[in-house]
Amino acid sequence: MTGCKRICGILILCGTFISIANSQVTRIKGIVKDAQTGEPIAYASVFVKNTAIVTFTNDSGAYILETRQKIDSITVSFLGYRSQTEAVEKGVTQIINFNLQPNVVVFNDVIVRPGENPAHRILRAIQANKKRNQLLASNIEYNRYSKVLISLNNIDDKFKNRKILQPFKFVFENVDTNSYTGNVYLPIILAESSVDVYKTQNPPLQKEVVRATKISGIQDQNILNFFGGLDQSFNIYNDYMDFYTESGFISPISRDGLLFYKYYLVDSAYRNGHKCYNISFKPRRKQERTFFGDFWVVDSVFAIQQLSMRINPQANLNFITDLYAEYNYAPLNDTLWVITREFVQADINLTESKKLKGLQGKKTIIFSNYKTTPTPPEQVLARKEDIIVPDSALNSSNIEKLRPIALSTKEQRTYSMVDSIKNVPAFRSWISPLENQTKV
């Protein structure tokens, strides 16, 4: 609890000095219904095409979407219905309701026994192939690049235009909005690392060599550790998963999945040359630590190709107020599929106090350079420690050479912002006591 108290102290002080930028916000709300029956459609996806802006309807079919990005339309989709797109007026609050037309999808290549849900047959095949598909018994070598962006959220209008904020006006160009929760957030930490991982079964060995690391912004390891550091990955092939401080989440492909989820076979298609099935899932009951979302699974090997999920909004949680995750996999050979990308976004409030600003963490992990015959260097094998951090890894310029994907324009501005703000005298006098408080 000491770590949480330290973080809370930071957030209370941070909230005193932050306000929202003057920018146009597009706010949309409405209800999604079945066009034939008039019944509300729960858990329908409401999104902006070719962006990461997405939200979902609640049990009553209602949704709220808010963004500062320039958009001109939104689309609604749900299994068994035709997608529908409507125009949006920028920079205003508006109501857009949807009435979706049912759409019958026929799967000629799926054998369905009388009374059997075809998604259940596919789910059983996924579970039967788990051991191979999650690399439990594999010799493997790969690179793991991690990027973590931590921001203050729950920022409101109260602190707008305060005189003490004049030195910080430039930071307001970097505020953004969570399209699902509507929370406005401001980045305070951006961290990256590149790590080479070596794993063998005989002899049993797992070594990690940190090639580069860089952290900008508030230098507080407690906050970074709270979000699992730079290297923690959440394995969806595990039956149960832990996210940050919360445990007991049921994976949508868990062996106990049928007890906690309803599954629907939505589509079948060739994706990247592989025959795949698209399965949607949603919680059977409220308050359980489950998710709703969908995944694509490869026929014959029954490996997950892509999965996206959002936490059950009625789940009984202590700190997490929103959690969204995406996973991508690709074939390494004819039968072995490996993870290539993981994205997790979580909103966390450590207390119910309105004076406390919450945290949002975004973590992107890129896995690359896979080899099935690990060849760890002799100098790595000679070291006793499992995690090796050479002096060269502390040179932040190395991350520029090892980064597998370029930073977005917004991320480049974030690096500039979190570094520049520390040179403002008023900020330096404010942040120094916080850094001292968080030293272990």
Side-chain angles (χ1 to χ4, degrees), residues 266-277:
V266 181
D267 198 2
S268 65
Y270 279 89
R271 290 163 52 91
N272 299 323
H274 300 276
K275 179 62 178 295
C276 299
Y277 299 110

Side-chain angles (χ1 to χ4, degrees), residues 138-202:
S138 299
N139 296 320
I140 205 78
E141 173 185 336
Y142 59 90
N143 176 265
R144 183 185 64 228
Y145 164 79
S146 304
K147 176 175 62 183
V148 177
L149 177 64
I150 298 176
S151 307
L152 292 173
N153 69 14
N154 292 340
I155 298 172
D156 52 35
D157 292 319
K158 287 185 178 180
F159 307 107
K160 190 176 182 179
N161 297 324
R162 288 193 174 188
K163 292 183 179 180
I164 197 170
L165 293 173
Q166 295 305 313
F168 309 101
K169 288 297 183 182
F170 64 92
V171 307
F172 300 144
E173 297 176 359
N174 293 273
V175 298
D176 208 340
T177 304
N178 183 322
S179 61
Y180 182 69
T181 65
N183 288 338
V184 177
Y185 54 91
L186 179 71
I188 58 173
I189 298 175
L190 181 57
E192 297 176 274
S193 73
S194 179
V195 180
D196 288 339
V197 179
Y198 304 92
K199 179 182 176 183
T200 62
Q201 294 296 315
N202 187 21

Side-chain angles (χ1 to χ4, degrees), residues 30-99:
I31 297 177
V32 179
K33 295 182 179 181
D34 183 304
Q36 294 184 0
T37 66
E39 293 292 321
I41 300 175
Y43 304 115
S45 300
V46 184
F47 59 95
V48 180
K49 291 181 179 180
N50 302 317
T51 75
I53 301 173
V54 62
T55 188
F56 299 87
T57 58
N58 61 18
D59 288 341
S60 301
Y63 74 92
I64 298 175
L65 189 146
E66 179 177 313
T67 181
R68 283 180 167 78
Q69 295 186 32
K70 294 180 179 179
I71 64 174
D72 55 17
S73 64
I74 58 172
T75 300
V76 172
S77 66
F78 189 66
L79 59 98
Y81 292 88
R82 297 174 184 171
S83 298
Q84 184 177 336
T85 300
E86 297 291 343
V88 169
E89 188 176 352
K90 301 174 185 176
V92 299
T93 299
Q94 56 211 282
I95 297 175
I96 301 178
N97 297 320
F98 289 83
N99 293 292

Side-chain angles (χ1 to χ4, degrees), residues 86-142:
E86 297 291 343
V88 169
E89 188 176 352
K90 301 174 185 176
V92 299
T93 299
Q94 56 211 282
I95 297 175
I96 301 178
N97 297 320
F98 289 83
N99 293 292
L100 301 187
Q101 294 290 341
N103 184 35
V104 177
V105 181
V106 179
F107 302 97
N108 296 322
D109 50 354
V110 177
I111 300 173
V112 183
R113 300 186 185 95
E116 182 185 31
N117 184 336
H120 293 178
R121 179 187 69 83
I122 296 172
L123 188 66
R124 290 194 299 270
I126 293 172
Q127 294 161 356
N129 289 273
K130 266 189 175 185
K131 184 176 181 179
R132 179 192 63 219
N133 290 329
Q134 63 176 325
L135 305 178
L136 284 183
S138 299
N139 296 320
I140 205 78
E141 173 185 336
Y142 59 90

Side-chain angles (χ1 to χ4, degrees), residues 36 42 71 78 115 138 220 264 273 292 311 321 326 365 370 374 387:
Q36 294 184 0
I71 64 174
F78 189 66
S138 299
D220 191 276
Y264 307 89
F292 60 94
I311 190 64
T321 59
E326 296 177 356
I365 305 179
Y370 279 97
I387 301 177

Side-chain angles (χ1 to χ4, degrees), residues 43 46 52-58 64-66 149 151 153-154 177-185 226-227 234 242-246 249 289-293 308-326 343-351 358-363:
Y43 304 115
V46 184
I53 301 173
V54 62
T55 188
F56 299 87
T57 58
N58 61 18
I64 298 175
L65 189 146
E66 179 177 313
L149 177 64
S151 307
N153 69 14
N154 292 340
T177 304
N178 183 322
S179 61
Y180 182 69
T181 65
N183 288 338
V184 177
Y185 54 91
F226 192 83
F227 282 94
F234 307 107
D242 296 339
F243 283 91
Y244 309 120
T245 61
E246 311 275 11
F249 292 91
R289 298 190 171 191
T290 50
F291 303 88
F292 60 94
S308 61
M309 61 186 186
R310 178 161 249 122
I311 190 64
N312 176 2
Q314 285 85 32
N316 185 13
L317 301 172
N318 296 316
F319 300 120
I320 296 176
T321 59
D322 180 46
L323 177 63
Y324 175 77
E326 296 177 356
F343 172 79
V344 178
Q345 174 179 297
D347 279 22
I348 293 178
N349 286 341
L350 301 177
T351 177
L359 286 172
Q360 183 198 68
K362 287 184 180 180
K363 178 185 293 186

